[in-house]
Amino acid sequence: MQKKNCFTSLICAALFLFFLFQSSSLSETAACWPRMICVVGLILSALEFALEGIKWVKTAGEQEKLWPLTGEQTKRSLIFLGLLALWIAGLTTIGFLSSSVVALSVIAVIFEPVRDRKHLIRDVIVCVLFGILFYVTFKLLGIHFPRALLI
C-alpha cells in the first residue's frame, strides 16, 4: 500500500502546486482562500509522502501492484475525466448553467446501473431540477454565473 500512497501523494502535491500557481492570477483578496487551501494541501501531501516513503523503505521486500484498478474501473474513470474536460470546455462556450446541466445529465445516463426508459428519464429530470435549484439559489445569493462566449 505504501507505493500507491507515495505516488498518490505526489499527484496530489502536483495538483495543489498547479492550483497555487493558478491562484496568482486572482486578486489578492480572492486568492487568499485558494492559496491557504493549496498550501495546507501541499504540506499534508508532503507529510503523507514522507510517512509512506518511510513505511515503503521498511517493507522493501513486499511487492504490490501500483495500479489497483481493474480494466473496467479504469475505463469508467477515463470516461468521467473526459466528461469533466468537456464540461470545463463548455463553461466558456455554452455557459455555466447549460454545461453543468448537460454534463450532469450525461454522467447520470452513462453511469446509470439500470438502463431502462423510466430510470433514464428520471435521471435527466433530476439533473435539470438540480440545475434550476442551483440557478435560483445562486441568484438569491447574488452570485453571477460565468457568461458564455456564444451569447
Side-chain angles (χ1 to χ4, degrees), residues 125-141:
I125 289 172
V126 167
C127 291
V128 170
L129 289 176
F130 268 109
I132 292 169
L133 176 70
F134 282 121
Y135 180 78
V136 170
T137 304
F138 278 35
K139 284 295 181 184
L140 288 174
L141 294 173

Side-chain angles (χ1 to χ4, degrees), residues 58-71:
K58 286 182 180 179
T59 60
E62 300 173 21
Q63 292 294 324
E64 63 179 16
K65 286 183 5 181
L66 180 60
W67 191 255
L69 300 178
T70 64

